[in-house]
Amino acid sequence: MSKLKLAVVIGSTREGRFAEKPAHWIADLAKSDGAFEVEVIDLKDYPMAFYGDPAATTEQSETAARFKAKVQEFDAYIFTAAEYNHAPTAVLKNAIDHGAWVRKPVAFVGYGGVGGARAVEQLRQIAVEMEMASVKTGTHILFPEYLAIVKGEKQISDFAHLVDAAKTMLGQLAWWGKALKSARDEEANASLAKAS
């Protein structure tokens, strides 16, 4: 089987955001894993109106359509999950609402007071509703680690437990990615055979 197409989605657009650091770190780890062809998708590049907003401009609607078409290209996803007020960012929730993710696996790299765990917990529930398969292991950058990274005292890769969690997470994502891609391909082939 060819490499899985993996999108790493930067889940924050806030000024001074931290999200780029874990996004590029996990993208580099995924590239070295060998199972994935990786692309980073920055939500800053897709300024969309809130899902279903009747005041959305033509440009925002076209951007949302472009985003949906883009994410459909991939077999698996990793979202960076900042935690604000015990929840994920509104921009990430909105992007998930606009996207098309059915029968594909997702993983999370969270950060914040408790490693973004509360935001990730909510995102897992949303993923189920979107018919995504959330892998068990997440990667959680706790606040003391976050501070050390922001201050330039450490890199994410300096924390062995984060690297270990990320490798386990990527292994699970690759397994589910292959299994679900195989099932989608089988279903598509059956539909073609039925139509001919």
Side-chain angles (χ1 to χ4, degrees), residues 61-92:
S61 296
E62 289 172 352
T63 298
R66 184 167 53 90
F67 176 76
K68 183 175 183 176
K70 181 64 181 173
V71 298
Q72 281 181 307
E73 297 174 10
F74 296 92
D75 302 307
Y77 309 92
I78 296 174
F79 298 142
T80 63
E83 184 174 311
Y84 300 106
N85 301 322
H86 290 209
T89 60
V91 72
L92 179 55

Side-chain angles (χ1 to χ4, degrees), residues 99-193:
W101 325 90
V102 174
R103 297 177 185 169
K104 295 178 182 179
V106 63
F108 303 97
V109 178
Y111 58 93
V114 289
R118 294 167 296 208
V120 169
E121 182 179 22
Q122 290 184 37
L123 288 166
R124 289 182 193 280
Q125 294 172 0
I126 294 163
V128 169
E129 190 62 25
M130 302 303 288
E131 292 191 58
M132 302 175 83
S134 173
V135 303
K136 179 185 179 201
T137 301
T139 304
H140 298 278
I141 302 168
L142 297 172
F143 195 67
E145 297 155 358
Y146 162 86
L147 281 179
I149 296 160
V150 167
K151 290 176 181 176
E153 298 166 358
K154 298 269 189 179
Q155 300 292 320
I156 300 174
S157 56
D158 292 332
F159 296 97
H161 66 283
L162 294 178
V163 175
D164 289 345
K167 288 181 177 178
T168 299
M169 182 182 80
L170 289 168
Q172 293 170 1
L173 195 64
W175 192 95
W176 280 104
K178 289 172 189 170
L180 291 171
K181 186 176 187 334
S182 177
R184 290 194 313 274
D185 290 346
E186 185 179 325
E187 186 175 61
N189 290 337
S191 293
L192 283 174

